[in-house]
Amino acid sequence: MADLNTDVRYIKGIGEKKALALNKLGVFTLYDLISFFPRKYEDRSRFVPIALAADGESVCIRALVADTPRLTRVRRGLDLVRFRAVDDSGMVDITYFNQSYVKDNIQRGESYVFYGKMEVKGSKRAMTNPVYEKEDAEGGVTGRIVPVYRMTAGLNQKTLMQAVRRGLDLCGGELPEILPEPVRRRCQLASAHYAYENIHFPRDFEGLELARNRLIFEELFVLACALGKIRGERVREGGIPIPGRDPEEFWQSLPFSPTGAQRRAVRQALEDMSSGAVMNRLVQGDVGSGKTLVAAALIWAVWKQGLGSAMMAPTEILAEQHFETLSGFLAPFGIRVGKLTGSMGAKAKREVKAALKNGELDLLIGTHALFSEDVDYPRLGLVVTDEQHRFGVRQRSALIGKAGKPHVLVMSATPIPRTLALIIYGDLDVSIIDEMPPGRQKVDTFAVDESYRTRLNGFIRKLVTEGRQVFVVCPMVEENEDLPVALKSAEEHAKELAAVFPDLRVACVHGKMKPKDKDAVMAAFVRGEADILVSTTVIEVGVDVPNAALMIVENADRFGLSQLHQLRGRVGRGKHKSWCILVSDNDSEEAKARLSILCKTSDGFKISEEDLRLRGPGDFFGSRQHGLPATHLADLGGNAQVLQQAQQEATLLLREDPDLNAPENRALRDRVELLFRQNADSFN
Ligand code: ADP
Ligand code: MG
């Protein structure tokens, strides 16, 4: 007997070869098969009398074949089968190209349903290569909404459709209902059986809509339960309580006042840390919003409690900058700060490790060297990671795991729309810093095309003469990339600039360099030892060069808006008036509209929302790791409302049954566990 776990190779019509092709699509069991949802649908449900079909319209006609199909061989490789079909309203000439077998399958005097595009020329009507079936078999591939699946070699739509049909017939009825009854009622969701049936073979568009709603909800609900479970487990692990400290003493030590948003983030984190549970908090704020200060306040609070902190940065240069900034903030209290990076000499490393072990350091800042090496933290209370999406989720868990049960603060400038942050960081609490420190100057932004090149070079010259530095960013060029326009690599562009400005110091950082060499070039630029730095996006994350006043982005249309916004955040960090110039020769309306958004606003959230709207979430994240399994139906950006609902319901359910042990939640637990198994990499 077949059940949901039966291998697809045992269904009728699927042999060894087709089973292998299905495997390539990720389909192994009957459950996988019926969960392999269509990519889109073709509406073949509309029947029209021949004479009423408009030119270019795709329709079904019910017609009698009026003459014997004739096979003509026009030349080698071109066969035609032609015949005429009629209904009460008129007639149509039907032609099949290179499908000579049609001649034997279609009989004069019989009625068929044909689905295809009607071509009308004067009083003549014609269809080319229409899909057909006998009138009495109608409802197979015509007369209905037909699913269209993602394909691979060795399969075709019809085979896959029939296999899914068999799969549903065999075990559609066995599908466990994983959504609790009250949830289904509250959210008005169709049953599992109805949804799986109608997502493949919708009865009508209303049925399809009901099916989609249910399955999107289901997907997000399972995801939310999975993330909620992780959080539940972590919370129950318990953390070292850091009694609620009033941070006023720390704020008083600063040369400026914290913003309201910084105060709020610190208050939220202090509440977490004093609760007795372990903190997992994300501080998300636009570039320049002052996240480092939030970390400093917490490091201070932890230190007050006699505990140490560690801070992990994705690059050496960022570690260096954090070391300097934080040393400054923390020095008034005598908090001892150390640094550990991969490029340090063996002796220096040994000394830092020894100092840490002996309790002579209160804060250690570094790259992932912090945790990959034999570093001993005798009394670690807090781990801060900066720009953690750069690390990958596995590193993050290695870091937290190795250090016992410290509180965790994650800082990120990636401006993810609020609704998305909820699910992406579903296992983290989120503080959003939505306020800039006062006096932050706006970076004037312009989009220009090649015709401005001479003026642009003149502008570079002027700023460098005034003592400023310039960033130039080029898109990453993959070697095998076939592009309509030739893109300049960073290296090539640097050579050109060096030729234009023989007397200026032009440095270059690109993807093929070793991290150590990249860091060396960056560090030299920070020290002011180069005037122009040409690079790929390696400078995207928070490097601070207050003297840089101009950011030029070449082929700007090749970047995401949020990415451009991050790049722009590299300038305007000092006292100098700063500019961002987006160079692009792409004159499509869409490209222009996108770039103009950047010229108009400097609000990272607004930009990311626009970006999401224009590009969709798939592109929004690109290859960037966000630590979530891919969703099949749900669009993490577009289904914000469902997302929120699913999140809410998951929270409610987990509050009642944290481990999903209740008998009525077993099926749901199995699904959550399946998700964990399939995405072992995403969840730590
Ligand atoms: P990011 O959020 O991008 O990491 P930083 O923490 O690097 O931002 O802060 C950017 C700059 O703003 C730093 O020079 C920092 O000292 C300064 N800063 C932070 N908070 C304030 C504040 N409340 N008032 C004035 N300047 C601030
Ligand atoms: Mg920063």
Side-chain angles (χ1 to χ4, degrees):
M1 260 320 284
D3 63 29
L4 289 167
N5 293 317
T6 302
D7 196 306
V8 280
R9 78 188 60 230
Y10 300 122
I11 18 178
K12 221 176 117 209
I14 301 291
E16 213 52 41
K17 266 204 186 126
K18 284 180 182 148
L20 282 176
L22 280 171
N23 293 168
K24 257 194 235 140
L25 294 171
V27 173
F28 297 88
T29 64
L30 284 192
Y31 174 71
D32 297 337
L33 181 65
I34 63 179
S35 307
F36 189 72
F37 300 141
R39 184 166 63 81
K40 59 176 191 179
Y41 302 85
E42 205 169 275
D43 183 6
R44 299 184 189 167
S45 63
R46 223 163 67 79
F47 281 86
V48 172
I50 293 174
L52 295 187
D55 186 34
E57 204 179 6
S58 291
V59 292
C60 286
I61 55 170
R62 202 173 271 128
L64 179 87
V65 173
D67 55 9
T68 306
R70 301 169 304 278
L71 172 66
T72 341
R73 168 160 277 200
V74 181
R75 55 177 154 78
R76 229 176 123 85
L78 182 58
D79 292 333
L80 299 182
V81 174
R82 275 192 279 209
F83 57 89
R84 178 163 285 182
V86 297
D87 69 5
D88 292 344
S89 75
M91 59 181 157
V92 59
D93 290 314
I94 295 182
T95 307
Y96 286 90
F97 285 92
N98 291 338
Q99 298 181 31
S100 48
Y101 55 86
V102 170
K103 179 178 177 296
D104 304 321
N105 290 351
I106 288 197
Q107 259 80 48
R108 175 183 174 183
E110 300 277 349
S111 280
Y112 297 84
V113 175
F114 296 95
Y115 168 80
K117 195 193 270 181
M118 186 66 79
E119 302 146 44
V120 184
K121 271 205 195 91
S123 62
K124 282 206 182 292
R125 283 161 190 272
M127 268 188 177
T128 308
N129 293 349
V131 177
Y132 66 94
E133 63 194 348
K134 269 276 194 51
E135 193 182 21
D136 52 13
E138 178 202 319
V141 291
T142 67
R144 65 182 307 162
I145 302 167
V146 176
V148 179
Y149 297 96
R150 193 153 55 80
M151 263 304 132
T152 187
L155 285 175
N156 61 41
Q157 292 293 346
K158 202 167 159 200
T159 313
L160 194 46
M161 193 168 122
Q162 284 167 348
V164 172
R165 183 65 268 160
R166 292 219 174 86
L168 281 169
D169 290 343
L170 285 170
C171 53
E174 280 174 45
L175 274 165
E177 180 52 78
I178 62 163
L179 296 182
E181 183 55 39
V183 173
R184 269 183 52 203
R185 215 174 330 109
R186 271 197 295 275
C187 305
Q188 300 183 345
L189 301 168
S191 73
H193 186 213
Y194 180 94
Y196 277 80
E197 180 66 35
N198 278 274
I199 198 77
H200 292 287
F201 304 108
R203 177 175 346 157
D204 46 32
F205 281 100
E206 215 168 289
L208 178 59
E209 192 60 22
L210 282 172
R212 279 184 60 84
N213 285 350
R214 140 95 201 198
L215 292 167
I216 288 173
F217 182 93
E218 175 178 318
E219 192 167 32
L220 295 172
F221 182 72
V222 170
L223 188 56
C225 285
L227 293 166
K229 250 184 124 224
I230 296 180
R231 169 155 59 180
E233 277 156 22
R234 285 209 193 131
V235 167
R236 271 172 290 145
E237 270 174 15
I240 315 149
I242 310 288
R245 287 248 158 235
D246 180 359
E248 205 46 46
E249 184 192 346
F250 178 76
W251 297 141
Q252 288 300 330
S253 75
L254 297 172
F256 47 72
S257 307
T259 63
Q262 285 169 324
R263 283 180 186 275
R264 192 176 60 234
V266 168
R267 200 164 52 234
Q268 289 168 336
L270 288 176
E271 266 166 33
D272 292 352
M273 293 199 295
S274 62
S275 71
V278 72
M279 171 173 80
N280 278 296
R281 183 165 289 275
L282 167 75
V283 172
Q284 207 196 318
D286 212 346
V287 278
S289 61
K291 296 182 289 292
T292 320
L293 187 64
V294 173
L298 300 179
I299 291 163
W300 168 84
V302 166
W303 168 79
K304 276 281 200 183
Q305 205 50 37
L307 295 171
S309 300
M311 180 171 199
M312 179 156 107
T315 64
E316 298 239 342
I317 192 123
L318 272 176
E320 182 66 43
Q321 291 196 336
H322 280 316
F323 175 72
E324 270 160 36
T325 321
L326 287 168
S327 299
F329 286 143
L330 301 170
F333 301 96
I335 298 177
R336 299 158 301 176
V337 186
K339 180 177 70 177
L340 183 65
T341 62
S343 69
M344 281 164 57
K347 181 158 169 281
K349 278 186 191 162
R350 240 188 347 264
E351 281 168 9
V352 172
K353 285 184 219 167
L356 185 72
K357 202 169 175 181
N358 297 334
E360 292 158 19
L361 285 179
D362 306 306
L363 168 65
L364 185 60
I365 300 174
T367 52
H368 48 268
L370 277 192
F371 291 89
S372 55
E373 302 188 16
D374 53 335
V375 189
D376 244 345
Y377 294 91
R379 26 168 216 115
L380 188 64
L382 172 69
V383 171
V384 182
T385 65
D386 191 15
E387 303 294 349
Q388 73 129 12
H389 64 274
R390 295 263 152 176
F391 288 111
V393 186
R394 232 177 299 166
Q395 268 166 313
R396 169 179 139 202
S397 57
L399 163 141
I400 297 165
K402 224 176 164 182
K405 285 181 202 167
H407 298 286
V408 174
L409 184 78
V410 173
M411 308 194 291
S412 175
T414 310
I416 298 161
R418 276 155 247 252
T419 46
L420 261 183
L422 183 74
I423 191 84
I424 291 173
Y425 295 110
D427 66 326
L428 294 168
D429 297 304
V430 183
S431 296
I432 292 175
I433 307 201
D434 50 5
E435 187 182 348
M436 284 287 173
R440 192 51 48 87
Q441 50 159 311
K442 188 172 155 286
V443 177
D444 281 342
T445 306
F446 300 95
V448 303
D449 59 28
E450 267 316 308
S451 67
Y452 281 76
R453 183 64 66 189
T454 318
R455 264 181 280 177
L456 186 53
N457 285 342
F459 192 48
I460 295 179
R461 165 73 67 192
K462 173 172 173 288
L463 287 177
V464 173
T465 308
E466 288 168 10
R468 301 288 80 74
Q469 286 166 286
V470 178
F471 282 116
V472 181
V473 174
C474 299
M476 199 92 88
V477 188
E478 301 290 337
E479 287 188 357
N480 53 8
E481 220 171 347
D482 266 333
L483 290 170
V485 284
L487 293 186
K488 267 178 289 185
S489 71
E491 275 171 291
E492 283 165 349
H493 194 61
K495 273 192 205 126
E496 278 177 27
L497 283 172
V500 176
F501 302 109
D503 54 327
L504 301 188
R505 299 162 302 173
V506 180
C508 180
V509 178
H510 56 82
K512 278 175 239 132
M513 289 164 74
K514 289 201 193 95
K516 212 175 118 216
D517 299 335
K518 275 189 219 170
D519 275 346
V521 176
M522 280 301 307
F525 187 69
V526 173
R527 288 193 300 268
E529 289 163 15
D531 303 302
I532 303 174
L533 179 69
V534 185
S535 72
T536 46
T537 50
V538 289
I539 57 153
E540 193 182 332
V541 269
V543 181
D544 221 356
V545 186
N547 190 44
L550 175 59
M551 164 63 66
I552 298 172
V553 184
E554 299 288 339
N555 298 105
D557 55 292
R558 303 266 304 168
F559 293 82
L561 289 189
S562 296
Q563 211 178 2
L564 289 172
H565 177 65
Q566 295 265 310
L567 288 171
R568 174 168 63 183
R570 295 303 103 221
V571 296
R573 298 174 80 83
K575 52 186 184 298
H576 311 288
K577 166 84 200 124
S578 299
W579 290 267
C580 174
I581 313 281
L582 308 169
V583 186
S584 165
D585 255 359
N586 185 334
D587 56 7
S588 76
E589 285 309 313
E590 195 213 332
K592 283 188 184 161
R594 291 181 61 231
L595 295 183
S596 81
I597 292 170
L598 268 135
C599 302
K600 276 185 242 149
T601 176
S602 49
D603 178 335
F605 281 111
K606 238 190 240 160
I607 290 169
S608 69
E609 268 153 21
E610 279 295 308
D611 202 10
L612 189 63
R613 195 175 62 74
L614 288 170
R615 303 203 302 164
D619 272 359
F620 180 79
F621 289 111
S623 56
R624 192 173 270 173
Q625 289 163 293
H626 53 73
L628 275 192
T631 51
H632 300 286
L633 276 181
D635 161 353
L636 288 176
N639 296 120
Q641 230 173 342
V642 189
L643 182 62
Q644 214 149 16
Q645 211 177 22
Q647 179 89 12
Q648 246 166 27
E649 291 290 352
T651 309
L652 272 178
L653 183 72
L654 288 173
R655 203 172 290 156
E656 272 170 34
D657 185 9
D659 293 315
L660 303 176
N661 274 334
E664 68 271 22
N665 294 332
R666 276 292 150 70
L668 175 60
R669 191 181 65 190
D670 291 347
R671 268 293 280 286
V672 168
E673 270 160 17
L674 180 68
L675 188 71
F676 281 135
R677 274 203 304 284
Q678 289 172 338
N679 297 279
D681 286 353
S682 302
F683 302 108
N684 26 46

